[in-house]
Amino acid sequence: MPGLDDLYREVILDHYRSPRNQGELETPPAVRTEGFNPLCGDEVIVFIDVDDNNVITDIAIGGQGCSISQASASMMSAAIKGTSMGEARQFISAFKGLMSIHEGELGGDGSEAEMGIDADVADAGDIRLGDLEALKGVVKFPVRIKCATLSWNTLAQALDEAAGDA
Ligand code: ZN
């Protein structure tokens, strides 16, 4: 994956080789949704258990695809496990912001400005993206943005279904 910083590449490969929360949850009570990225052939299946207080008590991830899609799903599962549905939606917004800010930067004029924007993203609100910051290098490759956001869109569907069942 040329072009990604070594540190970021290591984080991504670690999640790809050792995916967190891999498996299935029993449905019901779990909600199951699946997403597909035909551009790359990525498939992500998301299972979430939500309790009466709207807390995501458990999450499991299935599917197959490229390292970006599967690493993003793994990082997402680790980030949102144990959060409320509201917090999970904030994570989705923050992650999509990370992707879209850099998308808008593609025509940018210099690395200094890019560094400034990176710092803003890292400090944005109460959301700590942690390992997910590793994926910001992906936006240098616009076709891979769909790989990175696939699991988050699939999670958003699961949250909608879980909310509908409440
Ligand atoms: Zn992909």
Side-chain angles (χ1 to χ4, degrees), residues 37 40-42 65-66 68-69 144 147:
N37 171 20
C40 187
D42 305 318
C66 72
I68 297 294
S69 67
R144 308 309 288 283
C147 303

Side-chain angles (χ1 to χ4, degrees), residues 36-125:
F36 188 61
N37 171 20
L39 289 177
C40 187
D42 305 318
E43 177 190 35
V44 170
I45 302 167
V46 172
F47 298 84
I48 54 171
D49 273 329
V50 178
D51 72 8
D52 292 341
N53 298 316
N54 286 333
V55 171
I56 300 167
T57 54
D58 205 359
I59 179 166
I61 302 292
Q64 57 191 352
C66 72
S67 59
I68 297 294
S69 67
Q70 302 305 307
S72 181
S74 170
M75 293 182 201
M76 176 201 72
S77 72
I80 67 115
K81 187 173 181 176
T83 69
S84 70
M85 296 219 295
E87 287 166 334
R89 289 188 193 280
Q90 284 184 289
F91 267 109
I92 294 170
S93 297
F95 185 71
K96 289 192 167 184
L98 187 69
M99 291 289 128
S100 60
I101 284 171
H102 287 266
E103 202 171 8
E105 236 179 48
L106 290 174
D109 57 359
S111 57
E112 199 171 323
E114 191 176 356
M115 297 279 286
I117 288 172
D118 289 352
D120 288 346
V121 169
D123 293 340

